[in-house]
Amino acid sequence: MSGWTKGPWEVTDEDVRGDDIFFRVESAEAGMVALVDATPEDGPGKANAHLIASAPELAEALRQLVSMIDEGSFIQPTWRQVVFARALLARIEGES
């Protein structure tokens, strides 16, 4: 199954609705993908939103890894793969 909204997805600014705070996860192509509850403010809402926004890239990374394993070519990752993995982790953690 790969019928999800095409990435990349981005976390937008906070969306305040009454006493509740949300983060919107959006696709430039299709608009809002998810609305993530960020109440209370010190809870995991923002981190969850970044994780959700990274889903298309996570799926692609896993696809590449499985392909390399299937082909028997996963001996040592290339520098490009390491850079991609580090950038993806930074994105998931909301650092980029």
Side-chain angles (χ1 to χ4, degrees):
M1 178 174 136
S2 63
W4 54 74
T5 302
K6 183 180 177 184
W9 299 351
E10 299 294 330
V11 177
T12 63
D13 294 331
E14 292 179 357
D15 185 353
V16 179
R17 299 180 182 194
D19 291 335
D20 296 322
I21 301 169
F22 298 89
F23 286 100
R24 293 170 59 101
V25 177
E26 296 187 347
S27 158
E29 181 179 289
M32 188 168 67
V33 174
L35 189 63
V36 181
D37 189 352
T39 309
E41 286 186 62
D42 61 348
K46 188 171 187 177
N48 290 341
H50 281 284
L51 181 60
I52 291 166
S54 300
E57 292 156 299
L58 286 168
E60 180 57 29
L62 287 172
R63 209 176 280 116
Q64 289 177 17
L65 177 62
V66 168
S67 176
M68 290 170 59
I69 291 168
D70 287 347
E71 295 169 3
S73 61
F74 189 76
I75 298 168
Q76 183 172 355
T78 65
W79 181 248
R80 185 175 147 265
Q81 292 163 329
V82 172
V83 169
F84 175 73
R86 286 184 176 152
L88 184 53
L89 284 171
R91 178 170 157 72
I92 290 167
E93 294 168 356
E95 297 173 11
S96 65

